[in-house]
């Protein structure tokens, strides 16, 4: 449940800010960009960059 909440928080920031992914990683509760990318893709089916392009 906690991981899902963090990914939703990251999705919000990707949608509502122009912050780089590396800036969003610690703000969403992750320490490591690789684990963030892996979990983001697991829950959304796409990378953070792909997600941002899709919502633009």
């Amino acid at each position: 449940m906690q991981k899902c909440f963090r990914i939703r928080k990251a999705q919000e920031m990707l949608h509502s800010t122009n912050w780089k992914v590396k800036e969003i990683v610690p703000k969403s509760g992750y320490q490591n960009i690789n684990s963030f990318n892996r979990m983001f893709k697991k829950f959304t089916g796409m990378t953070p960059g792909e997600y941002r392009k899709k919502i633009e």
Side-chain angles (χ1 to χ4, degrees):
M1 187 67 160
Q2 180 73 12
K3 290 178 183 174
C4 192
F5 172 78
R6 290 192 273 171
I7 296 301
R8 274 194 245 116
K9 186 175 178 182
Q11 286 176 299
E12 258 181 55
M13 287 186 270
L14 285 165
H15 182 71
S16 63
T17 71
N18 289 325
W19 296 337
K20 295 180 178 181
V21 173
K22 68 181 180 182
E23 296 173 299
I24 291 173
V25 171
K27 292 177 188 333
S28 59
Y30 284 88
Q31 306 258 330
N32 181 304
I33 194 165
N34 293 326
S35 61
F36 170 77
N37 285 335
R38 188 171 41 255
M39 293 309 293
F40 194 95
K41 188 160 187 169
K42 179 180 177 181
F43 281 99
T44 66
M46 60 188 93
T47 66
E50 291 168 340
Y51 178 81
R52 181 170 265 164
K53 284 181 185 173
K54 181 183 174 195
I55 60 173
E56 286 179 344

